[in-house]
Amino acid sequence: MKTKNVLCLIMLMAVTGSGLAYGGSKSNGTNCTKPTFSTFTPAANSVVEANSSFSFRASSPTITDSISVTIKGQPVAITIVPKNQAGNEVTGIIPESAKGDFARITINAMGPNGCKGSGGWLLNVAP
C-alpha cells in the first residue's frame, strides 16, 4: 500500500512539474510597448508667454496619427516631424486662453498593439 501511495505521489509531482515547465504566467500573448515622451521644451514649471511654442519628443513606436495634446483641457494643434529612430518631434503653440495661470500640457498617444501612453508637464503662463 505504501509503495502504491509513493508511486502516485511521484507521478503527481512529475505531471505538475512538467505542466509548470510550459510557463505559469497569465500573459495573453501580446507585447505592449507604450509610447514615451521626453525632451520637454520649455522646461517644466518655466514661466512662458501665451502664443509661445512648446515641443517634446515622442518615442519611435508611437503611432503618429494618435498623438493628441491638450492644454487646460482644450485641444491644441500640433505639428509632427519624424526624426528617424529617435522618434518624432512634436511642436505646438500655447493658446491665449492659458494666459495668467498654470497650464498643464497633456499628451496622449497609442503605441503598437493599442497600448496607450500619456505624459505631460506644467508651465506657468505669464499674464
Side-chain angles (χ1 to χ4, degrees):
M1 186 69 159
K2 282 188 175 185
T3 307
K4 189 175 180 182
N5 287 343
V6 170
L7 185 58
C8 285
L9 182 62
I10 291 171
M11 288 178 57
L12 182 61
M13 289 173 59
V15 170
T16 304
S18 64
L20 292 175
Y22 288 101
S25 75
K26 298 191 189 249
S27 172
N28 62 5
T30 59
N31 184 13
C32 186
T33 305
K34 292 182 178 183
T36 58
F37 311 103
S38 61
T39 320
F40 302 110
T41 305
N45 298 315
S46 296
V47 178
V48 297
E49 298 291 325
N51 298 312
S52 61
S53 63
F54 65 87
S55 67
F56 61 91
R57 181 74 47 108
S59 61
S60 59
T62 305
I63 299 170
T64 55
D65 292 344
S66 73
I67 299 172
S68 67
V69 176
T70 60
I71 297 179
K72 296 188 77 171
Q74 300 299 315
V76 176
I78 55 173
T79 302
I80 302 169
V81 178
K83 295 290 184 181
N84 299 322
Q85 272 65 1
N88 300 290
E89 184 74 24
V90 181
T91 59
I93 302 293
I94 298 167
E96 187 72 28
S97 62
K99 196 174 197 177
D101 200 0
F102 282 92
R104 177 169 171 76
I105 298 175
T106 303
I107 310 160
N108 288 297
M110 299 297 279
N113 297 324
C115 298
K116 183 180 177 183
S118 60
W121 74 109
L122 189 67
L123 296 174
N124 185 356
V125 184

